[in-house]
Amino acid sequence: KIHSVCRKPVPYPKTENVFRFQIPDHKVSWTVDHPEYKPVEYTNPGIQGQVWADHEITPENRPEFTGRGTLGRWGPNHAADPIVTRWMRNGSEVMLHPVSSKYRLEFLAIQRREGKAWALPGGMVDKGEQALDAAQREFCEETLNSKSWKSAAQSQQKHIVSQLFAWSQPVYHGYIDDARNTDNAWMETVAFHVHDPSGYLTNKLNLHAGDDAVNVKWTPVDKNTTLFANHNDLIHKVAQYMNAHWSSDPRYLTNKL
Ligand code: RP5
Ligand code: MG
Ligand code: MG
């Protein structure tokens, strides 16, 4: 039986007389209509003001947008984002930024079909899929147009990608400030950094936007790059731990991590 413990007709934990709205077994499924459903509202006063608890919803900050909007799932909608970088080169020389005196990184960005913003080539994690596998799959779909791969030449591309992704570092996991978010449904991601130190492998990639991407290009890692959602914050994390150029602004010129 599904949700049987949390449907029990006993007082809610830490209360004496707060009882749940009772739902019969046959009305539990999301696919069954239940217009009479009126859940009891209850928040334990003890959680208010705790550092680990969310702020209370007051009339001033009351939800302005409930429902799921365009997202498929209630609560977190899980995505994965690949951040594939290499050093920016002028011929064989790695480029040093004249102001920050730091080496410059570039990463692969795609232009999203919807909205046309430049972004990380990420996407939703499929049911049962590992986040890293999703990041690699979306990378192939959006920067290499893998959905139309057929010949043996393209299986060579697959091989290069698996060599690239053999080294990966999770750099962020959590909330994404995505325009699709509502109070009841929002994007979360796991971002993986994949670095190609010599540029040898990435040089062999046959870049070709595909699926929900319409363009792909190497883009400088830089504070002033405008990206979809808060993707540039994720790029910033990579710049920090690679000690790469981020900004000419004096506030960013120290080596503080
Ligand atoms: C962002 O939306 C994630 O960081 C990820 O890049 C992307 C996933 O959504 P789709 O690309 O599938 O629209 O929030
Ligand atoms: Mg995709
Ligand atoms: Mg995508």
Side-chain angles (χ1 to χ4, degrees):
K1 268 213 307 196
I2 194 155
H3 306 310
S4 56
V5 173
C6 63
R7 276 191 296 140
K8 277 196 181 145
V10 296
Y12 185 81
K14 298 188 181 174
T15 74
E16 279 163 19
N17 54 11
V18 178
F19 290 89
R20 295 168 188 274
F21 185 87
Q22 285 301 294
I23 306 167
D25 290 350
H26 69 280
K27 291 267 171 114
V28 168
S29 166
W30 286 111
T31 58
V32 179
D33 263 359
H34 193 184
E36 323 80 73
Y37 180 54
K38 268 210 168 39
V40 173
E41 179 157 354
Y42 173 70
T43 303
N44 186 307
I47 70 165
Q48 278 163 11
Q50 299 284 357
V51 285
W52 43 262
D54 283 337
H55 294 298
E56 196 51 75
I57 294 170
T58 62
E60 298 79 60
N61 67 12
R62 190 157 297 285
E64 285 172 21
F65 210 112
T66 64
R68 278 172 292 172
T70 182
L71 297 173
R73 300 203 179 267
W74 296 108
N77 283 252
H78 295 287
D81 285 288
I83 305 175
V84 175
T85 64
R86 66 182 184 189
W87 296 111
M88 270 169 86
R89 285 184 161 82
N90 193 350
S92 60
E93 287 284 297
V94 177
M95 286 168 71
L96 210 55
H97 191 275
V99 177
S100 67
S101 305
K102 288 183 173 181
Y103 290 120
R104 304 207 65 180
L105 281 172
E106 55 186 4
F107 72 101
L108 274 174
I110 55 96
Q111 189 176 29
R112 294 171 63 85
R113 185 180 302 278
E114 211 177 292
K116 301 289 180 283
W118 286 88
L120 290 169
M124 308 308 295
V125 178
D126 290 339
K127 196 171 177 185
E129 190 179 35
Q130 294 293 314
L132 179 57
D133 294 334
Q136 185 170 335
R137 175 182 52 73
E138 290 285 341
F139 178 79
C140 292
E141 289 174 6
E142 299 190 5
T143 73
L144 305 171
N145 196 19
S146 63
K147 282 195 172 168
S148 45
W149 280 356
K150 290 177 209 87
S151 63
Q154 282 149 335
S155 80
Q156 177 244 6
Q157 289 285 292
K158 205 173 180 175
H159 183 65
I160 294 163
V161 173
S162 37
Q163 282 180 293
L164 257 179
F165 278 73
W167 181 91
S168 74
Q169 176 74 25
V171 288
Y172 176 79
H173 59 97
Y175 180 77
I176 283 286
D177 192 10
D178 191 298
R180 292 169 290 192
N181 295 350
T182 75
D183 290 304
N184 294 344
W186 59 90
M187 294 296 305
E188 292 191 13
T189 199
V190 188
F192 295 94
H193 179 212
V194 169
H195 183 60
D196 181 20
S198 67
Y200 175 80
L201 288 169
T202 45
N203 268 337
K204 294 187 180 187
L205 293 175
N206 187 6
L207 297 178
H208 198 304
D211 202 36
D212 48 354
V214 288
N215 268 304
V216 52
K217 70 170 184 211
W218 285 102
T219 304
V221 165
D222 189 290
K223 184 176 179 286
N224 294 328
T225 305
T226 303
L227 293 179
F228 178 73
N230 61 331
H231 281 178
N232 216 30
D233 295 345
L234 279 46
I235 305 281
H236 187 195
K237 292 189 184 294
V238 170
Q240 282 177 305
Y241 87 82
M242 296 290 284
N243 198 19
H245 170 75
W246 176 245
S247 169
S248 307
D249 183 323
R251 289 183 303 134
Y252 294 93
L253 295 183
T254 55
N255 250 343
K256 272 185 288 166
L257 280 185

